[in-house]
Amino acid sequence: MVTLHRPYMRSASWATPRIDLSGCVLYLPLWRPSSDMAGSTIYSYDGKVIPRISATVTGATWGSQGRTFDGIDDKIVCPAIANLVTTVGLSVWYKPASTADAYAHIAGKGAQFGVNNILFGWTVGSTGSYIRFASGNNAGLYESSGDLAVTLGVWYQLFAVRTSATNWNLYINGAPASVPTITTAYNTANGSVAFIIGTGTGSADFVGGTIGEVIVWTTSPSAGYVAQVNQITKWRYQ
């Protein structure tokens, strides 16, 4: 259930209806103009993890819709901590702006072709640009069985939900994706990998575009909840 808190003024650039953050361990509204979100060190707004999870920003210029990444060396890094180990839900608002790097990470843990990872990645194929979701365990990497085609300059909400030990459901803009599931056995016991936005662990590839907000859950959001989060957040990215 998503809770709307009043009073709510849509005209204010920073105002937004509040999301029910039950089960959330990381909430980074990168558009927020407050000092704890617009500087070089930012802090999670999940409201439960004490002390608040911090992240270090390199580049990634702040704006009213989020942080803009140059595709060269911009990134945001959250340290490897226990709270982000059992990631079973991941939401990212992303507007791609370039195809400079073919295998850049948008947001997640681990390396694109490594193990113990969970991430949304950006790929460039022979016929266009795509989003892929990847998850891996100690045995290797598993990727979504197809590509999610996207258009440069258009906002997308990417949502992955782990529904069992061997299955993830994927959503685009609140609705099931055309490539709806991925079968994997992600190793949630791995807590030694940082959560990174804009690139991956040890990667030389960086994503270009704007990222509006990133949310991580340790409880699996329902399909109805996914749709509600999209409805509450999408107005900022229209």
Side-chain angles (χ1 to χ4, degrees), residues 8 93 107 141 165 172 184 195 206:
Y8 166 54
W93 272 101
L141 174 76
I172 299 291
T184 182
F195 187 96
F206 291 81

Side-chain angles (χ1 to χ4, degrees), residues 25 80-90 107-111 114-120 133-143 160-168 182-196 201 216-218 220:
V25 292
I81 58 176
N83 301 92
L84 298 180
V85 172
T86 54
T87 297
V88 296
L90 172 61
K109 298 175 63 177
V115 298
N116 298 320
N117 64 4
I118 166 177
L119 58 95
F120 277 109
F133 176 76
S135 181
N137 59 21
N138 288 327
L141 174 76
Y142 299 82
E143 285 191 311
V161 176
R162 185 182 181 184
T163 57
S164 71
T166 58
N167 191 80
W168 291 85
I182 176 174
T183 300
T184 182
Y186 170 64
N187 181 9
T188 59
N190 180 35
S192 61
V193 180
F195 187 96
I196 305 178
T201 301
V216 175
W217 289 265
T218 56
S220 297

Side-chain angles (χ1 to χ4, degrees), residues 99-236:
T99 58
D101 289 312
Y103 300 105
H105 294 199
I106 301 167
K109 298 175 63 177
Q112 175 90 12
F113 298 107
V115 298
N116 298 320
N117 64 4
I118 166 177
L119 58 95
F120 277 109
W122 169 260
T123 64
V124 180
S126 58
T127 59
S129 305
Y130 305 91
I131 299 296
R132 278 199 169 186
F133 176 76
S135 181
N137 59 21
N138 288 327
L141 174 76
Y142 299 82
E143 285 191 311
S144 50
S145 57
D147 296 309
L148 309 173
V150 295
T151 302
L152 295 180
V154 175
W155 279 101
Y156 296 90
Q157 186 200 28
L158 313 173
F159 213 125
V161 176
R162 185 182 181 184
T163 57
S164 71
T166 58
N167 191 80
W168 291 85
N169 286 348
L170 306 181
Y171 301 84
I172 299 291
N173 297 332
S178 57
V179 184
T181 63
I182 176 174
T183 300
T184 182
Y186 170 64
N187 181 9
T188 59
N190 180 35
S192 61
V193 180
F195 187 96
I196 305 178
I197 302 169
T199 188
T201 301
S203 176
D205 296 318
F206 291 81
V207 74
T210 305
I211 297 177
E213 51 197 271
V214 177
I215 313 178
V216 175
W217 289 265
T218 56
T219 57
S220 297
S222 67
Y225 179 90
V226 170
Q228 287 178 319
V229 171
N230 178 263
Q231 287 297 313
I232 271 188
T233 57
K234 70 179 183 179
W235 68 269
R236 183 175 299 280

